Structures are given as C-alpha cells and as structure tokens.
C-alpha cells in the first residue's frame, strides 16, 4: 500500500452475501459502505479511491440497483479470480469468516480491514454455555 500514489488507492470489498435486488444484512451494508467510499473517486483534495465491490463465486449473479456513484461491481467466477483481484488491491474490506473460504487472503501482503459488525463468535457464545470450558474454547478457536 505504501508504494501506491495517494491518487490511486484501490479498495476491494469482499462480501459474503447477495448484492443487488434481493440484498439484506451484509449485502446492504457492503453496498452502502462501497458507495460511501465511492464518493471519494476522481480528482479532489480528499479523493482518489478506486472502489470495487466483488461478487464472490458462491453468490448468485446480481440484479443491481441504478447508481451514479463510482463503484465497480465485479463478478469473480472462481477462487483464482478472487485471488487476482485481491492481489491488485491496496486494501481489502471483508468479514473474518471469508478467511476460512479464501485463506490465501492472509498471505497476499495486502492490508485486511475486518468488518466485525456481525461478530458471529460473540453472538454464539451463549449457545455453548452448557459445554465444558475446554470444548467451548476449542469450538471458538477453530472458527
């Protein structure tokens, strides 16, 4: 990231939810986050972001709402597409759970910004309260 000029910061959003007509939860969140940053595309004193919202291989093809903001929505058909797109980014915004699906993200040398808006581990702690402490810890560490 430090090698890229300030005028060309490439921000990649990897969302594990539907983007488009049937958006809910994370899909809406990532659409709105990407568009909020998309306002900073193009020339200006606090601008220069190139924002991409990736549609992952396991997500249905989107029917996108119309927008005038500068956000690229790009379909990844394979994990290799995800890797290539991530490797060309200056920062990746995603939920930590996607590291289980795409562990190579941690090895690319690209900064990762984790969205813990929906902290699955914290939300699930109460479910295993009757489980022995060691098993409880193992379940959450292996997540």
């Amino acid at each position: 990231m430090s090698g890229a000029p300030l005028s060309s910061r490439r921000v990649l959003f990897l969302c594990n939810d539907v983007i488009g007509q049937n958006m809910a939860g994370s899909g809406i969140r990532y659409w709105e986050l990407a568009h909020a940053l998309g306002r900073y595309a193009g020339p200006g004193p606090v601008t220069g972001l190139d924002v991409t919202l990736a549609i992952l291989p396991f997500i249905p093809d989107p029917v996108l709402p119309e927008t005038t903001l500068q956000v690229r929505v790009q379909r990844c058909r394979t994990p290799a597409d995800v890797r290539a797109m991530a490797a060309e980014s200056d920062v990746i915004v995603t939920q930590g759970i996607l590291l289980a699906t795409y562990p190579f993200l941690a090895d690319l040398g690209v900064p990762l910004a984790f969205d813990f808006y929906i902290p699955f581990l914290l939300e699930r702690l109460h479910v295993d309260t009757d489980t022995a402490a060691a098993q409880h810890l193992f379940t959450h560490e292996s997540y």
Side-chain angles (χ1 to χ4, degrees):
M1 187 158 134
S2 60
L6 287 176
S7 62
S8 65
R9 296 289 185 207
R10 296 162 298 187
V11 180
L12 175 64
F13 283 89
L14 296 176
C15 180
N16 63 340
D17 201 357
V18 173
I19 300 295
Q21 186 175 16
N22 294 319
M23 282 189 286
S26 299
I28 294 170
R29 181 172 173 74
Y30 277 68
W31 178 261
E32 293 298 332
L33 284 170
H35 281 82
L37 287 182
R39 292 184 182 106
Y40 298 99
V46 186
T47 57
L49 296 179
D50 178 8
V51 180
T52 300
L53 179 56
I55 308 296
L56 298 173
F58 55 87
I59 301 295
D61 284 331
V63 177
L64 298 174
E66 289 190 31
T67 182
T68 58
L69 298 175
Q70 296 183 12
V71 173
R72 180 177 31 253
V73 178
Q74 190 166 339
R75 165 54 102 181
C76 296
R77 297 273 177 213
T78 67
D81 292 345
V82 175
R83 179 190 292 267
M85 193 179 301
E88 294 174 2
S89 299
D90 294 309
V91 65
I92 300 166
V93 180
T94 190
Q95 292 179 341
I97 190 70
L98 281 182
L99 285 181
T101 306
Y102 305 113
F104 56 78
L105 292 173
D107 299 325
L108 293 175
V110 176
L112 293 165
F114 291 110
D115 172 17
F116 287 114
Y117 173 70
I118 303 174
F120 293 109
L121 294 177
L122 298 177
E123 288 179 350
R124 184 170 159 71
L125 281 174
H126 74 283
V127 174
D128 297 322
T129 55
D130 294 333
T131 307
Q135 181 60 36
H136 188 68
L137 182 60
F138 174 77
T139 300
H140 288 85
E141 283 183 346
S142 63
Y143 188 84

